């Protein structure tokens, strides 16, 4: 009842822990982690094959950029899956009922007992998928990230994803420039 009242009072754009019943949040996170891992393996295979087929020294610039972009994308997907698995562990711990389950153990970070003595209670938690984070909400309307997902995961995922996008765009740009140059040569010759 308390969680339902909080959800209606604090609508959120991200997926809250109570937006899905029971262990469905846990299963959804596992599904996302599995998809990210499969995509990482596929991109790694594509990038490695692209670089191996052409040979790194003999390959054209677009092929090298495509291969490196795929490998960077694979790294981003693998790190994202790792962050989701860490998030999955936090959700499993938070959903574990029984004795000593309130406040959720995942929310018991440094200083939570001090806040409790001041009358600030942990009332709910929220799970965000992009970026992966486990956020605890307090009775005073505040919230805090518990740090369940390692701090380097989200910046590394962003950096690798940007590198992958840059490599893919660069490959397309170089290919387009070469095609235009060949067309101009054919028109002139």
């Amino acid at each position: 009842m308390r969680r339902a009242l909080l959800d209606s009072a604090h609508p959120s754009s991200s997926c809250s822990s109570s937006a899905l019943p029971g262990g469905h949040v846990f299963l959804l996170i596992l599904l996302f982690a599995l998809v990210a891992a499969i995509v990482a393996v596929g991109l790694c295979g594509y990038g490695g094959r692209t670089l191996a087929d052409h040979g790194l020294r003999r390959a054209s610039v677009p092929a090298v950029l495509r291969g490196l972009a795929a490998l960077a994308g694979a790294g981003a997907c693998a790190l994202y899956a790792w962050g989701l698995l860490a998030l999955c562990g936090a959700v499993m711990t938070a959903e574990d009922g029984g004795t000593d389950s309130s406040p959720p153990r995942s929310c018991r970070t440094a200083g939570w007992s001090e806040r409790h003595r001041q009358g600030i209670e942990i009332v709910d938690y929220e799970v965000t998928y992009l970026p992966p984070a486990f956020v605890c909400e307090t009775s005073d309307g505040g919230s805090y990230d518990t740090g369940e997902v390692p701090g380097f995961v989200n910046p590394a995922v962003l950096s690798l994803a940007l590198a992958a996008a840059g490599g893919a765009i660069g490959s397309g740009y170089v290919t387009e420039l070469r095609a235009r140059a060949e067309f101009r040569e054919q028109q002139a010759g």
Side-chain angles (χ1 to χ4, degrees), residues 40-117:
V41 169
L43 285 173
C44 190
Y46 174 77
R49 188 195 65 205
T50 300
L51 293 175
D53 283 351
H54 298 286
L56 194 54
R57 293 183 186 203
R58 293 177 283 126
S60 64
V61 173
V64 170
L65 286 174
R66 269 195 319 272
L68 293 176
L71 291 176
C77 287
L79 278 174
Y80 184 69
W82 183 11
L84 287 176
L85 288 177
L87 185 61
C88 191
V91 170
M92 267 182 27
T93 303
E95 290 293 325
D96 185 25
T99 305
D100 196 36
S101 64
S102 181
R105 281 183 248 144
S106 298
C107 293
R108 296 180 195 174
T109 58
W112 78 271
S113 58
E114 181 63 33
R115 285 190 295 272
H116 175 69
R117 279 186 238 129

Side-chain angles (χ1 to χ4, degrees), residues 174-188:
V174 170
T175 302
E176 179 68 22
L177 287 179
R178 286 185 179 179
R180 287 183 183 197
E182 287 177 17
F183 180 73
R184 274 188 245 125
E185 285 177 12
Q186 289 176 355
Q187 293 296 325

